[in-house]
Amino acid sequence: MPTSSDMTTQLDTNALNTKALVDTTVLDAMQHQVALFARRAEQTRLGGIGQARNSMDRAAYLLLNRLDQEGPMGVKALAAGMGIDSSTVTRQVAPLVDSGMVKRTSHPEDGRAVVLQLSPRGRARLEEVRSSRRALMAVVTEEWTAEERDAFCDLLTRFNTALSDVHNSLVQPAPAS
């Protein structure tokens, strides 16, 4: 006959196995929902509602948004803040400069360095897209309470931060030449 100590061990093992099963089920559901979200986000580009819908790609939106929030900055600072390399920023900024949404100027202290700044046209366009995207978020969450919206935003922010941290820990720095 098993002793009470044997039964406790067996119960602890069963509890761990059950927790592992639940965690696996939840993690499987989570990764599936994230995959669906990524597909739907790409399908709509979370582009909003109305005329501005699907009118700005993700890279442009994120670059313009960063310049709006943090002000003028160099390519290296913009790349570092976004977690991408400078060559990617340079490539993504070029059409924004060509379209007049971003101004490229010389650094006031080092004329060789380039500073990127949101232009008035870029600021107006960004606000148009933001407004359209806010309208989409309002429609998608219209049956949610304010608390549910807040909780979702907090958890999504936490998820994105954790995902970024994991990505950054996995990226190996390039060897110095």
Side-chain angles (χ1 to χ4, degrees):
M1 175 169 240
T3 66
S4 63
S5 146
D6 291 338
M7 291 177 71
T8 302
T9 303
Q10 187 175 15
L11 289 173
D12 288 346
T13 303
N14 288 342
L16 286 173
N17 288 340
T18 301
K19 183 176 178 354
L21 179 63
V22 169
D23 285 349
T24 300
T25 302
V26 168
L27 294 174
D28 283 347
M30 187 184 297
Q31 66 81 24
H32 179 75
Q33 290 302 319
V34 168
L36 287 174
F37 173 77
R39 177 192 294 156
R40 294 206 171 95
E42 193 56 37
Q43 286 171 340
T44 65
R45 291 188 183 171
L46 291 181
I49 295 174
Q51 198 168 348
R53 185 176 181 274
N54 288 334
S55 61
M56 185 179 289
D57 69 37
R58 181 181 60 243
Y61 179 78
L62 292 172
L63 286 167
L64 294 176
N65 198 53
R66 170 90 35 175
L67 289 172
D68 184 47
Q69 291 178 349
E70 296 185 22
M73 67 181 74
V75 171
K76 286 184 182 179
L78 186 56
M82 297 183 70
I84 56 179
D85 63 54
S86 296
S87 63
T88 301
V89 168
T90 300
R91 187 178 66 250
Q92 292 175 348
V93 163
L96 298 173
V97 170
D98 292 344
S99 67
M101 288 194 273
V102 170
K103 291 190 285 187
R104 188 181 282 151
T105 59
S106 296
H107 191 282
E109 297 167 13
D110 179 1
R112 298 168 297 169
V114 172
V115 174
L116 301 170
Q117 180 176 355
L118 192 62
S119 71
R121 180 177 184 202
R123 190 173 318 285
R125 187 75 181 93
L126 179 60
E127 186 48 43
E128 177 185 20
V129 172
R130 276 185 186 151
S131 176
S132 175
R133 291 179 179 196
R134 271 193 302 272
L136 176 62
M137 294 299 104
V139 168
V140 169
T141 63
E142 69 187 340
E143 295 183 13
W144 296 17
T145 65
E147 293 79 18
E148 288 171 326
R149 285 180 178 156
D150 289 344
F152 179 74
C153 189
D154 289 346
L155 288 170
L156 190 56
T157 299
R158 185 175 169 192
F159 181 81
N160 278 325
T161 299
L163 200 54
S164 178
D165 291 348
V166 168
H167 170 76
N168 291 337
S169 73
L170 296 175
V171 174
Q172 300 297 320
S177 352

